[in-house]
Amino acid sequence: MTLITFLGTCGGRFATIYQTRSTGGIFIEDSINISLDPGPGAILRMRQEGIDPTKIDLLLVSHCHPDHYTDVDVLIEAMTSGCTQKCGTIIASESVISGIEGFQPKASDYHLSHLANVHVAKSAETFSIDDIQISATSTIHTDPSGVGFRIQTKNGIITYTGDTSINEDVIKFYDESRLLILALTTPIGIRLHHHLSPEDAVIILKEVRPEKALLTHFGLRAIDAGPESIAKWIQEESGVDTMAAQDGMRVNLGEEIEI
Ligand SMILES: [Zn+2]
């Protein structure tokens, strides 16, 4: 069984500032434990959900915006017994690891030096961590080094889009996903440059046809409009089983996908 816990389901500046919902990303338990995009409060939300942050083996960080990276250093401390051991792995965008023009690095050199493996993820690169394969997907975002992640678990492929707008080069990376997690920011009829809208989600899902789509990273306007009604509309338009994630929601990926 692969278990996915949504620690936080909002994103964007103002939903994050006001903590309209929690931030903190996603925790995935398979043969290894993965923290994906640990935004503000990830460590708090793990404790609230009964998750031991010292058990994290792998950090995945898609890009250099606070709703995706804020708790990286404290989670590295958790992974490395307070920076007394050298263990664990981070796979993250170049902006997060080493910085790029306009974006200073978001993990400190001190913390990175205590990890056994530090990988800069570039689009289409694949990394093997134990028996899990992680590939970086393309994004079109204001952080030009941003990526999404495609995680080959023992129960099929989970793909997380990261923040992005879409074109064919982006969508091709979602192929064969069993579970597609979409960072959907806006409600129906509203487009925010470099982020997924419900209309984008319909285009993606009609093409990729995953077994299930899960929506997360809701901005203020999407929360006001009602994530469940957005998911219902996307499902009707795309024909793909679609659900809006909620804070604390757990998904079991086995022979079936159980919420
Ligand atoms: Zn972003």
Side-chain angles (χ1 to χ4, degrees):
M1 190 74 82
T2 303
L3 181 62
I4 300 143
T5 303
F6 285 83
L7 299 170
T9 55
C10 82
R13 289 167 294 173
F14 293 101
T16 300
I17 291 165
Y18 291 113
Q19 289 287 290
T20 312
R21 287 184 173 204
S22 294
T23 41
I26 299 168
F27 188 73
I28 301 172
E29 296 163 73
D30 195 76
S31 55
I32 60 171
N33 294 324
I34 303 171
S35 168
L36 169 58
D37 272 357
I43 193 148
L44 170 68
R45 292 288 300 125
M46 284 182 194
R47 300 308 293 138
Q48 289 174 337
E49 295 295 335
I51 293 167
D52 182 350
T54 67
K55 305 287 192 234
I56 298 168
D57 302 293
L58 171 64
L59 276 176
L60 298 177
V61 190
S62 65
H63 69 286
C64 207
H65 288 150
D67 46 340
H68 297 258
Y69 73 71
T70 304
D71 279 10
V72 164
D73 280 347
V74 71
L75 290 186
I76 292 174
E77 294 195 359
M79 294 163 73
T80 58
S81 295
C83 292
T84 62
Q85 292 178 7
K86 195 171 176 80
C87 57
T89 298
I90 188 170
I91 302 174
S93 66
E94 185 179 6
S95 52
V96 168
I97 301 286
S98 48
I100 59 169
E101 191 179 348
F103 296 96
Q104 292 183 329
K106 297 304 174 204
S108 82
D109 286 344
Y110 167 77
H111 288 90
L112 291 177
S113 72
H114 288 88
L115 291 170
N117 302 292
V118 176
H119 297 300
V120 170
K122 296 202 169 151
S123 171
E125 283 185 329
T126 298
F127 306 88
S128 292
I129 312 295
D130 289 347
D131 56 350
I132 305 268
Q133 298 238 308
I134 314 280
S135 301
T137 70
S138 280
T139 64
I140 305 166
H141 196 46
T142 45
D143 175 351
S145 71
V147 292
F149 293 105
R150 179 182 166 95
I151 305 164
Q152 173 82 61
T153 73
K154 59 191 175 196
N155 290 296
I157 295 169
I158 303 169
T159 303
Y160 167 73
T161 61
D163 288 357
T164 188
S165 52
I166 55 167
N167 64 21
E168 280 304 312
D169 285 339
V170 170
I171 296 174
K172 73 180 184 196
F173 284 100
Y174 308 155
D175 205 26
E176 297 179 354
S177 301
R178 189 166 176 216
L179 193 63
L180 186 54
I181 301 173
L182 298 155
L184 184 128
T185 307
T186 54
I188 299 160
I190 295 184
R191 286 192 175 274
L192 181 61
H193 206 35
H194 298 123
H195 293 81
L196 291 181
S197 68
E199 291 80 359
D200 294 331
V202 171
I203 292 168
I204 292 169
L205 295 180
K206 278 183 167 173
E207 192 163 327
V208 179
R209 308 213 66 78
E211 195 172 321
K212 192 173 191 76
L214 291 171
L215 313 179
T216 187
H217 193 274
F218 303 112
L220 269 188
R221 287 176 292 184
I223 294 169
D224 282 348
E228 285 72 25
S229 67
I230 297 170
K232 184 166 179 280
W233 181 82
I234 292 171
Q235 177 169 309
E236 285 168 1
E237 294 293 315
S238 68
V240 173
D241 183 7
T242 302
M243 181 178 267
Q246 297 179 357
D247 292 355
M249 191 173 93
R250 284 188 158 86
V251 181
N252 278 305
L253 188 63
E255 269 185 43
E256 310 273 314
I257 299 177
E258 295 164 16
I259 309 291

